[in-house]
């Protein structure tokens, strides 16, 4: 692995939303096109980033069901030939919600490697209530609560990562499998169900934001993101109705807890005045027309200064 003393290295492991691109059971035009190798379409795995200060020790931001493939596609993350018989550069994982696409990859990390798993109280409770996660041996894998609004210094069980994480609540929705219709329009959503992360390099003081799920860019969130050098943001849908219009689902983006890119209430408009230097969409649903490099939607997002995240994209700050 490459040593780098001056930068935080950020890699997109998976840029797609739940289901990935193409999604296993989906024959929508985007999924059919990427499956057929049509020009302008690139396959994507599910939602995750990896961050390192030294190129050696890494923290995952979300653990997707595609983690095994992501590790195999990213040599820095696999067992190192310079390490022991069993070793892993992945020292920690930070979870932003309890969604299947963000937590189920933890099960891939089950072979007695030391690991620290960070999440809100709410998400750690979800893990505790799902006994399948006990496959992560508690003698090796510690679970640490991220208190909202408090910067936490990340340490794997072996490594200090030189990174702090501040979790903050963002507008969102409880995970799909936890929705409780009897609890009204928000399905029983509580604070901590969806968090954003501010990730800071403790040596340089440089930071970026990671907000892969967000229902609304409200005033507190806008203030927080204002002037940032780099933000990775929820790019689930382009249009709030696109899944309905395509006949894929009866749900709007709002109903799923995701702000859309376009329109007067969309994220493109909401970021217009925030002065964020680099804006990257992640968690992109397979229905989203920006996945077609030749689409008008793609041109609109790029003209507004957005990058459409892709697997393997690397940014250093
Ligand atoms: C979401 O982002 O809305 C969820 O990942 C959806 C899902 O659980 O399939
Ligand atoms: Mn998701
Ligand atoms: Zn599709």
């Amino acid at each position: 692995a490459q040593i780098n003393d001056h930068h935080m290295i950020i890699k997109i492991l998976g840029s797609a939303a739940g289901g990935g691109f193409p999604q296993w059971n989906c024959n929508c035009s985007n999924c059919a096109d990427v499956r057929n190798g049509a020009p302008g379409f690139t396959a994507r795995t599910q939602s995750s980033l990896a961050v390192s200060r030294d190129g050696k020790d890494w923290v995952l931001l979300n653990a997707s069901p595609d983690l095994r493939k992501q590790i195999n596609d990213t040599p820095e993350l696999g067992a190192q030939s310079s390490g022991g018989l069993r070793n892993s550069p992945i020292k920690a994982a930070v979870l932003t919600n309890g969604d299947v696409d963000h937590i189920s990859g933890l099960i891939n990390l089950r072979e007695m490697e030391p690991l620290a798993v960070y999440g809100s109280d709410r998400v750690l409770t979800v893990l505790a209530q799902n006994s399948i996660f006990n496959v992560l041996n508690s003698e090796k894998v510690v679970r640490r609560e991220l208190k909202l609004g408090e910067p936490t210094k990340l340490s794997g069980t072996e490594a200090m990562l030189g990174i702090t994480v501040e979790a903050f609540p963002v507008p969102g929705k409880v995970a799909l499998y936890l929705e409780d219709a009897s609890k009204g329009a928000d399905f029983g959503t509580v604070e901590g169900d969806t968090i954003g992360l501010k990730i800071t390099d403790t040596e340089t003081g440089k930071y970026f934001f990671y907000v892969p799920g967000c229902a609304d860019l409200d005033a507190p969130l806008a203030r927080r993101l204002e002037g940032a050098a780099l933000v990775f943001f929820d790019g689930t849908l382009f249009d709030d109705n696109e899944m309905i219009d395509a006949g894929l689902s009866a749900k709007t983006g709002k109903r799923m807890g995701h702000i859309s890119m376009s329109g007067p209430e969309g994220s493109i408009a909401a970021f217009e005045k925030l002065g964020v230097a680099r804006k990257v969409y992640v968690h992109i649903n397979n229905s989203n027309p920006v996945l077609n490099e030749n689409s008008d939607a793609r041109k609109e997002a790029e003209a507004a200064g957005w990058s459409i995240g892709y697997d393997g994209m690397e940014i250093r700050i």
Side-chain angles (χ1 to χ4, degrees):
Q2 188 183 341
I3 304 295
N4 187 309
D5 289 328
H6 309 291
H7 293 102
M8 188 152 50
I9 309 164
I10 306 147
K11 272 186 178 261
I12 297 183
L13 301 181
S15 51
F21 184 51
Q23 176 172 310
W24 69 285
N25 67 339
C26 193
N27 192 28
C28 77
S29 65
N30 275 348
C31 287
D33 280 340
V34 73
R35 219 173 255 124
N36 295 331
F41 293 85
T42 305
R44 285 168 163 81
T45 62
Q46 292 166 84
S47 182
S48 174
L49 264 53
V51 184
S52 177
R53 276 206 63 259
D54 59 5
K56 256 173 49 187
D57 292 335
W58 292 81
V59 51
L60 301 179
L61 307 183
N62 289 322
S64 107
D66 299 320
L67 182 56
R68 181 178 177 277
K69 172 172 167 51
Q70 293 166 345
I71 291 172
N72 288 341
D73 289 346
T74 314
E76 312 85 296
L77 295 182
Q80 300 296 295
S81 56
S82 55
L85 193 53
R86 291 280 171 92
N87 73 87
S88 168
I90 299 171
K91 304 302 181 194
V94 184
L95 308 172
T96 62
N97 61 26
D99 287 3
V100 172
D101 53 342
H102 285 161
I103 67 171
S104 55
L106 289 175
I107 292 167
N108 287 293
L109 302 175
R110 68 182 173 282
E111 304 290 350
M112 294 292 285
E113 282 302 326
L115 182 75
V117 177
Y118 293 85
S120 67
D121 172 51
R122 172 71 164 176
V123 169
L124 292 185
T125 300
V126 171
L127 297 186
Q129 287 171 345
N130 282 271
S131 56
I132 193 168
F133 292 104
N134 293 342
V135 75
L136 299 170
N137 189 315
S138 60
E139 284 174 24
K140 296 278 183 183
V141 180
V142 298
R143 302 181 189 187
R144 297 196 178 124
E145 183 186 345
L146 286 175
K147 297 262 192 230
L148 303 182
E150 283 177 26
T152 302
K153 229 183 198 10
L154 288 187
S155 56
T157 48
E158 290 175 328
M160 293 304 296
L161 293 162
I163 290 168
T164 61
V165 171
E166 181 183 345
F168 49 89
V170 300
K173 182 186 68 62
V174 67
L176 183 59
Y177 58 89
L178 295 172
E179 284 186 6
D180 182 348
S182 75
K183 291 193 172 154
D186 67 2
F187 305 98
T189 300
V190 302
E191 188 174 80
D193 271 323
T194 310
I195 59 174
L197 304 174
K198 180 183 183 182
I199 313 283
T200 304
D201 180 328
T202 53
E203 195 179 305
T204 64
K206 292 188 175 169
Y207 61 87
F208 71 95
F209 290 96
Y210 175 55
V211 188
C214 183
D216 179 33
L217 219 127
D218 61 5
L221 181 57
R223 269 197 302 277
R224 200 185 281 278
L225 302 182
E226 200 163 4
L230 173 63
V231 176
F232 295 89
F233 195 76
D234 185 339
T236 308
L237 302 186
F238 186 75
D239 184 275
D240 197 45
N241 287 315
E242 82 191 31
M243 296 196 68
I244 299 171
D245 292 345
L248 294 170
S249 162
K251 291 180 185 174
T252 61
K254 278 200 183 75
R255 167 64 185 82
M256 296 188 293
H258 296 290
I259 188 175
S260 300
M261 295 178 179
S262 66
E265 294 176 1
S267 56
I268 291 175
F271 270 81
E272 205 60 59
K273 292 199 172 68
L274 293 186
V276 173
R278 189 141 193 211
K279 304 174 282 193
V280 183
Y281 280 126
V282 291
H283 193 277
I284 304 162
N285 195 56
N286 59 77
S287 59
N288 193 321
V290 301
L291 290 172
N292 176 357
E293 288 167 23
N294 303 312
S295 66
D296 290 343
R298 175 68 158 247
K299 288 179 193 123
E300 182 181 333
E302 288 179 345
W306 285 87
S307 302
I308 307 304
Y310 55 90
D311 295 13
M313 184 179 190
E314 182 179 308
I315 297 178
R316 294 178 178 225
I317 59 170

